[in-house]
Amino acid sequence: MYNKMWHQTQEDLNSLLDKESQKMSEPQGNKIVVFQMLATFYINYVQIFRNMENVYDQIVHPQKRMLIRKVLDGVMGRILELKNEMVELEMTEFHYFDDILQDLKLSPQQLDVPIPRYFLKERLEVIKGREKILAQILTECGLNLPNVKYAVKIIALEEAVKLIQIAERARQGRLRALFMKQIFLQECRAKEMKLLGQRLLDTRLAALQIQKVWRGFHQSKKTVKEREEEMVFLGMKPSPFFNEVSDAIAQSKQVRNLRDEVQLKHEQNYQEALVNIKEDLKMLEGPDIKENLQDQIRQWFIECRNLTGTFPDYPNEEDGGSALIFSNKTPEQEEDEEWKMSPSLFLQLMEEGNSLYKDMWLNKDESWNFPQDYDPEMIKEEKRKELEMEIRIQVDELMRQELKNLKLAVNREMEIPPKQKKGKKVRRRGKRGKKEKDLTADRTIESLYQELVEEGLLIQALKVNLSDYIGEYSYLGTTLRQVAIEPMPSLLDVRQLITLYGILPLGSAEVHERAPLVKSLLLAGPSGVGKKMLVHAICTETGANLFNLSASNIAGKYPGKTGLQMMMHLVFKVARQLQPSVVWIQDTEKTFYKKVPQAEKRIEPKRLKRYLPKLLKLLKPDDRILIVGTTHRPFDAELQPFCRVYQKIILVPRPDYASRYVLWKEIILRNGGELTNSLNISCLSKVTDGFTQGQIVQVIKDVLTERRLRQQAHKPLTAIEFITMMTNMNPVYREEEESFKNWYAKTPLGKKRVLSLTVGGNKEKEKDKGKKGKRGKKKK
C-alpha cells in the first residue's frame, strides 16, 4: 500500500518539477498571475509533502527511507521558499487560496502543513534523557513542585464549624422537603379516591388506558432515536461514540507500533550490514581492485612516455590523485557543470532524489524481498566505491614512488616537487570575522546546563501539541480582499505560520541551513489568545530546549555589564550545543520601552536591548536557535529597534465565529461534557464575540466540575450556565483590535502592504479614467 503511495507521489513530484521548470522560465509581468502560479505550486507541494511524510513514517525499507528523507527535506524547503516568495510579492504574511482550492477541488483542511513525525521519533532517546536530567535538577533545587489537583485552603476552626453546620442544615432541609412531598402526594391520591366514590374501574378500560400511554411513550422514544440517527448521518451532530476509541483505530495504532519496531530492527540490520559487507569486500575484492588500479596507472605511464617522450607528473592529492587521470569528462561537460545554477537551493535536491528514484527503484523487481529488509547488492555497489577511494589513496603513494624510481632509472631525472597553487592563498585575503571569545572554556556543557536550570533561565516546556491550538479557516479572505477590506487572520492561519517559520526549520537541520533563514519571531496579540501556548508547542513538536529571557525572569540575575555578558554567553553556548533551542522573551515590549514606568525601573527591563541585535548577527544557518518574543502591548515599545530585532511579526487575533464554534465544541468534549439539543453551541459562539480562547477554556473548566459532570444524565448542559460565568470577564473590544491593526500597519511589512494597495488602487483608477476618456472621444 505505502509502496504504491510512494510511486504515485514520486510521479506527481516529477510532473510538478517539469511544470515548475517551464513556468519559471517564462517572464511574467502581472502580479496576480505570478501569485496564482506561486500559490498553485505551493498547494501542490503541500499535497506531496503530506503524502511523502506519511510514506516516510510507514515504510520499513531502510534504503528507501534514506531516499524518501532526502526528497522530503527538499519538498519541505521548497514550500518555505515559495512561502517567502508569496510574502515578498503580496507584502503580507497571510494568504488566501479560496479560488485556487475550488479549481483544484481541494478542501481547506488539505492546506494544513503536517509536522513530520521523525522530528521527535528519531531523537526520542535524547529528548527523554534530557527531560530526565532536567526533572532531576529541578527536584534537587526544589523547583519541581508536584501538580496539586485541588487547592487546599486553611481556615479558622469557627469558620469550619460554620460551614459544616450550613451543609448539615441544607441536608436536613432536603430530607424534610422530600418527606413533605410524599405526604402531599398521599393526600392527593386520597382525594381522588373520594371523588371516584370508591368505584372500581373496568379492567378492560384500565388496560386500554395503559396501552395508550405506553404506545405513545414508546413511539416518542423511537421518533427521538430516529431523529438522532438522522442528524448523526447528516453530520449535523457528533456520534454518541465520538469520544470512544473504535476497534479500527486501536488496531491501526497497534500496526503503527509494530511498523516502528520493524523500522528500528531493519535500520539496525542495515547499519551492521554496512560494516560487514565492506569488510567482506575488502577481503575478497580489495587485492583485485588494488592490482587493477596499479595496472591502469602503469599503462598511463607508458602511454604518456610514448606520446611525449617523458614520464608525466603525478597529480597532487589535493586535486584527486589518480582519480583525475581517469575522469571521462570532456571540457564541454565541465563548462556545463560550472555554469549550471538552480533558481532554488531545494530544486536540485529534489531533482537528484527524483533521478535516483528513477534509476534505482522505479522498475526494480522486489518480489524476493517481501519483509522489505535492506538490499545487499546496493550496499555492495556503494561500498565498492568507498573501498576503491580508500585503496586509491594507498596506491597513489606507491605509484608516486614507483614513478620517481622510473624517472631516475630511465631518464636520470630528479623529480621536481610540485609547486603549491597560488590560488589557495586567496582564502587569507579579506576581513576576518571576529571570533567569539569562550568565557567558559574550562567548564563542561553539563555544568552550564545545570547552572542555567538552577537560575531559572532554562525551563521545562509544557507538553502542548500544535493541534491543541484549535481554530477554523477564514473562508471569506479572498472575497474581502477583492472589495479592498483587509481581513483579520484566522487562528489556523496563525498555526500555519508557526509551523512554517518555527517548527519545520528547527526540526530539520537540512532545511534550516538552506531555507530562507528566520532567526526571530514576534507573536503580538491581546492577552489570552494563546501566544504562550504556541511557544511551548514549538518546543514540544521539535524537542527543543526552552530558555526564558523575559525581563521579569532575568531581574537581579547576573548583575552588571560583565554579568549580562556571561549570562548571554551561557545561554547561547548551551543553546548551540543542545540545539534545537527556543529563546523566549515574554512581554518583550518591556525590553524596548519608550519610557520605563517608575514601578519597573528596579528590574531594569531594557538590559537586553543592545545585546539582541549583536546576538542575531552571530547566529549562523547551522545554528538551530529561534528567538521568540510575545507581547500584548506592542505599542509601548520603540518601533524601529523592535522591528529590527524581530524578523517576522505575526498578529495573533481573537477568535472569529467559526473558530469559537469549533473551540466550544472541542473543549467541552475534552473536559467530559456532553453535547445535547439543550446546549446551543451556535448561540454560545455568537454571544461570546470578543472573548479570547483563554477565557473560553477557563469558563468551561469552571462550569464542568466533577459534580456537574455527574448530573449530566438527568440535567443536560445549557448555554446559560456558561454565559453566566462570563459576565465577570472583559472581552477584547473593537477599539483594542483596531489599535493592534494600526500598530501592525506601521511595521516594515505593514507599510509595504499599505503602499502596494495604494499604488495598485491608483493604477486601477488611472486605467478607469483612461477608458472613460476614450469612450467620451468615441461619442463625440
Side-chain angles (χ1 to χ4, degrees):
M1 173 186 170
Y2 289 103
N3 273 317
K4 289 181 180 177
M5 189 175 178
W6 178 39
H7 291 307
Q8 182 62 46
T9 307
Q10 283 289 162
E11 288 178 14
D12 295 341
L13 178 61
N14 186 39
S15 62
L16 186 57
L17 288 172
D18 292 340
K19 287 179 185 176
E20 188 170 4
S21 61
Q22 292 171 5
K23 290 282 186 182
M24 291 299 179
S25 60
E26 298 174 2
Q28 297 287 347
N30 191 339
K31 281 189 175 183
I32 297 173
V33 175
V34 173
F35 177 75
Q36 293 281 329
M37 179 184 69
L38 290 173
T40 305
F41 284 135
Y42 174 82
I43 293 168
N44 287 327
Y45 273 118
V46 168
Q47 304 315 305
I48 289 170
F49 180 51
R50 291 169 67 91
N51 293 335
M52 198 67 78
E53 195 279 325
N54 201 14
V55 166
Y56 180 73
D57 185 64
Q58 293 298 310
I59 277 186
V60 297
H61 197 296
Q63 289 150 307
K64 287 181 183 177
R65 295 185 83 244
M66 287 174 65
L67 178 58
I68 294 168
R69 171 69 177 274
K70 184 177 183 178
V71 176
L72 183 64
D73 285 344
V75 174
M76 203 189 312
R78 188 58 184 151
I79 288 171
L80 295 180
E81 286 180 336
L82 289 170
K83 174 66 179 177
N84 188 58
E85 290 290 332
M86 289 190 292
V87 170
E88 291 182 357
L89 185 68
E90 281 206 317
M91 303 302 175
T92 178
E93 299 288 355
F94 301 99
H95 312 288
Y96 302 100
F97 311 111
D98 310 347
D99 49 346
I100 303 172
L101 288 174
Q102 193 172 358
D103 293 340
L104 296 174
K105 297 180 180 178
L106 297 173
S107 65
Q109 286 72 23
Q110 289 174 285
L111 262 181
D112 196 18
V113 178
I115 299 169
R117 282 161 276 192
Y118 78 83
F119 285 178
L120 294 177
K121 190 186 290 186
E122 295 182 2
R123 297 181 59 246
L124 196 59
E125 295 299 322
V126 176
I127 293 168
K128 284 184 177 179
R130 194 182 298 164
E131 287 177 351
K132 189 177 179 181
I133 294 168
L134 180 59
Q136 186 178 352
I137 296 170
L138 290 171
T139 305
E140 289 173 359
C141 300
L143 300 172
N144 194 8
L145 299 174
N147 293 326
V148 181
K149 190 172 182 181
Y150 299 104
V152 179
K153 184 180 177 182
I154 300 173
I155 57 176
L157 179 63
E158 294 81 5
E159 191 177 351
V161 171
K162 188 177 179 181
L163 287 173
I164 293 170
Q165 287 176 344
I166 291 169
E168 178 60 23
R169 286 167 184 165
R171 186 187 69 83
Q172 291 178 3
R174 287 193 295 272
L175 289 174
R176 181 171 178 78
L178 183 63
F179 179 66
M180 294 301 294
K181 184 180 178 181
Q182 290 175 352
I183 293 173
F184 175 74
L185 291 174
Q186 285 179 0
E187 291 177 353
C188 288
R189 282 195 292 270
K191 288 179 181 178
E192 287 178 1
M193 292 298 291
K194 285 182 180 179
L195 290 172
L196 292 171
Q198 303 292 332
R199 183 167 53 88
L200 293 174
L201 295 172
D202 188 3
T203 54
R204 292 176 62 187
L205 292 173
L208 186 62
Q209 188 68 21
I210 292 170
Q211 286 177 358
K212 284 181 181 180
V213 173
W214 167 247
R215 285 173 181 169
F217 172 75
H218 180 68
Q219 185 59 42
S220 65
K221 294 287 284 184
K222 187 178 178 182
T223 304
V224 170
K225 185 180 178 183
E226 289 176 353
R227 177 157 180 77
E228 292 290 325
E229 290 175 354
E230 183 182 8
M231 296 292 281
V232 171
F233 176 74
L234 294 173
M236 298 177 69
K237 193 174 181 181
S239 169
F241 308 106
F242 181 78
N243 291 326
E244 295 182 12
V245 179
S246 65
D247 295 337
I249 293 174
Q251 188 177 0
S252 69
K253 285 184 179 178
Q254 290 178 358
V255 172
R256 188 179 292 275
N257 293 334
L258 182 62
R259 279 182 178 275
D260 291 343
E261 293 175 7
V262 174
Q263 272 182 5
L264 186 61
K265 183 182 176 183
H266 285 189
E267 183 64 29
Q268 290 172 351
N269 294 340
Y270 174 66
Q271 295 298 332
E272 291 173 3
L274 288 175
V275 178
N276 296 335
I277 290 175
K278 186 175 180 180
E279 292 297 323
D280 294 343
L281 285 173
K282 195 171 184 179
M283 290 177 61
L284 297 173
E285 300 182 12
D288 294 337
I289 292 172
K290 185 176 181 179
E291 188 176 343
N292 289 336
L293 287 173
Q294 288 177 328
D295 291 343
Q296 289 174 5
I297 294 168
R298 288 193 187 104
Q299 184 65 28
W300 177 64
F301 291 166
I302 296 166
E303 288 176 358
C304 289
R305 168 79 177 175
N306 294 336
L307 288 171
T308 61
T310 59
F311 288 109
D313 293 329
Y314 208 91
N316 294 326
E317 188 177 345
E318 293 84 1
D319 296 331
S322 59
L324 188 67
I325 303 167
F326 304 105
S327 61
N328 297 322
K329 288 183 181 178
T330 64
E332 290 79 13
Q333 286 173 330
E334 289 180 9
E335 284 178 10
D336 288 345
E337 187 176 352
E338 290 174 2
W339 175 81
K340 185 178 178 182
M341 182 177 177
S342 299
S344 160
L345 294 174
F346 291 96
L347 278 177
Q348 187 178 358
L349 189 68
M350 289 188 289
E351 285 168 359
E352 287 175 3
N354 196 35
S355 60
L356 283 172
Y357 163 76
K358 290 177 181 176
D359 296 340
M360 297 168 61
W361 298 104
L362 181 59
N363 299 314
K364 189 175 180 66
D365 181 19
E366 290 189 274
S367 56
W368 60 273
N369 192 9
F370 180 76
Q372 290 290 287
D373 208 344
Y374 66 86
D375 188 340
E377 293 303 320
M378 290 178 65
I379 297 177
K380 286 180 182 178
E381 186 178 349
E382 180 187 347
K383 291 301 174 184
R384 270 195 196 98
K385 294 177 182 177
E386 288 184 19
L387 186 62
E388 185 177 340
M389 290 301 295
E390 291 175 5
I391 293 173
R392 188 182 291 280
I393 294 168
Q394 300 172 8
V395 169
D396 283 351
E397 293 177 4
L398 295 173
M399 298 311 291
R400 278 194 187 92
Q401 187 62 39
E402 187 173 324
L403 179 62
K404 185 178 179 182
N405 295 336
L406 279 171
K407 286 183 177 182
L408 287 171
V410 179
N411 296 339
R412 303 289 179 181
E413 297 175 358
M414 289 295 290
E415 186 179 23
I416 301 170
K419 294 181 180 180
Q420 291 186 352
K421 293 183 179 180
K422 293 181 180 179
K424 293 187 179 179
K425 294 183 180 179
V426 177
R427 294 181 182 175
R428 297 181 184 178
R429 295 177 186 174
K431 295 180 181 178
R432 291 185 181 180
K434 289 183 180 179
K435 193 174 181 182
E436 192 179 357
K437 188 179 178 182
D438 192 353
L439 302 175
T440 54
D442 57 337
R443 294 182 60 184
T444 62
I445 288 294
E446 289 77 12
S447 66
L448 302 179
Y449 185 89
Q450 183 170 355
E451 181 179 336
L452 289 173
V453 174
E454 290 172 353
E455 291 290 339
L457 299 177
L458 200 159
I459 61 175
Q460 194 167 20
L462 302 175
K463 293 295 179 185
V464 180
N465 293 317
L466 192 63
S467 57
D468 295 332
Y469 192 75
I470 301 166
E472 187 55 278
Y473 290 92
S474 177
Y475 294 98
L476 296 174
T478 305
T479 307
L480 290 172
R481 279 190 175 172
Q482 285 173 354
V483 294
I485 297 174
E486 188 63 24
M488 282 296 285
S490 69
L491 299 187
L492 284 195
D493 292 330
V494 173
R495 193 171 86 181
Q496 194 87 311
L497 288 183
I498 294 297
T499 304
L500 293 172
Y501 292 151
I503 295 174
L504 296 187
L506 283 180
S508 172
E510 183 79 19
V511 172
H512 195 275
E513 287 179 16
R514 298 189 180 193
L517 188 59
V518 177
K519 298 180 181 180
S520 55
L521 193 65
L522 176 66
L523 304 178
S527 299
V529 293
K531 301 183 293 295
K532 180 180 175 182
M533 177 185 177
L534 290 171
V535 174
H536 287 277
I538 293 172
C539 298
T540 303
E541 298 289 2
T542 59
N545 298 293
L546 182 58
F547 298 87
N548 188 355
L549 293 185
S550 306
S552 58
N553 191 46
I554 64 174
K557 298 173 184 177
Y558 298 94
K561 188 176 179 180
T562 54
L564 181 61
Q565 189 178 357
M566 174 60 76
M567 180 182 74
M568 301 307 287
H569 168 75
L570 290 175
V571 168
F572 280 87
K573 183 177 180 179
V574 175
R576 280 193 183 96
Q577 291 290 329
L578 304 177
Q579 55 185 299
S581 299
V582 172
V583 179
W584 177 34
I585 306 176
Q586 190 178 16
D587 296 331
T588 187
E589 77 280 354
K590 295 181 179 180
T591 308
F592 302 90
Y593 263 146
K594 295 175 184 175
K595 185 179 180 182
V596 180
Q598 191 67 32
E600 296 184 22
K601 282 187 177 180
R602 59 182 182 80
I603 67 171
E604 298 180 75
K606 300 174 74 171
R607 287 180 75 192
L608 297 179
K609 184 179 178 181
R610 292 183 181 179
Y611 276 87
L612 285 176
K614 296 176 184 177
L615 290 167
L616 284 170
K617 289 179 182 178
L618 294 173
L619 292 180
K620 300 172 184 175
D622 57 347
D623 295 329
R624 283 188 290 159
I625 300 172
L626 181 67
I627 297 175
V628 183
T630 57
T631 174
H632 66 283
R633 292 193 60 82
F635 11 84
D636 291 344
E638 296 179 41
L639 191 61
Q640 286 187 353
F642 203 40
C643 296
R644 202 178 299 128
V645 167
Y646 291 106
Q647 187 179 350
K648 294 288 183 181
I649 298 174
I650 300 175
L651 201 59
V652 186
R654 59 189 177 89
D656 55 9
Y657 170 78
S659 295
R660 291 195 303 275
Y661 187 86
V662 176
L663 190 67
W664 276 110
K665 284 179 65 176
E666 289 291 328
I667 303 300
I668 287 173
L669 290 171
R670 287 186 185 187
N671 283 273
E674 294 179 3
L675 301 179
T676 61
N677 293 331
S678 303
L679 181 59
N680 192 335
I681 299 292
S682 180
C683 173
L684 270 177
S685 305
K686 288 176 182 176
V687 170
T688 53
D689 184 17
F691 289 93
T692 63
Q693 302 96 300
Q695 291 172 327
I696 292 173
V697 171
Q698 186 59 47
V699 164
I700 292 171
K701 288 181 178 179
D702 290 343
V703 171
L704 296 181
T705 60
E706 287 192 5
R707 182 169 178 268
R708 185 65 186 89
L709 290 174
R710 289 196 299 269
Q711 293 175 347
Q712 286 185 104
H714 60 274
K715 185 182 177 183
L717 293 170
T718 58
I720 194 65
E721 295 179 69
F722 298 99
I723 294 169
T724 306
M725 295 293 291
M726 301 198 82
T727 54
N728 298 325
M729 296 181 175
N730 293 320
V732 178
Y733 294 103
R734 293 282 181 189
E735 293 78 9
E736 186 177 352
E737 188 176 33
E738 286 299 321
S739 65
F740 276 98
K741 290 175 75 173
N742 294 335
W743 172 83
Y744 185 77
K746 296 175 185 176
T747 63
L749 191 63
K751 285 180 180 178
K752 290 178 183 177
R753 175 68 180 170
V754 173
L755 184 63
S756 65
L757 291 174
T758 307
V759 173
N762 292 337
K763 285 182 179 179
E764 286 179 6
K765 287 178 182 178
E766 287 175 5
K767 287 181 182 178
D768 292 340
K769 287 179 181 179
K771 288 178 182 178
K772 288 177 181 178
K774 288 178 182 179
R775 287 173 188 171
K777 287 179 182 179
K778 285 179 182 179
K779 286 179 181 179
K780 288 178 182 178

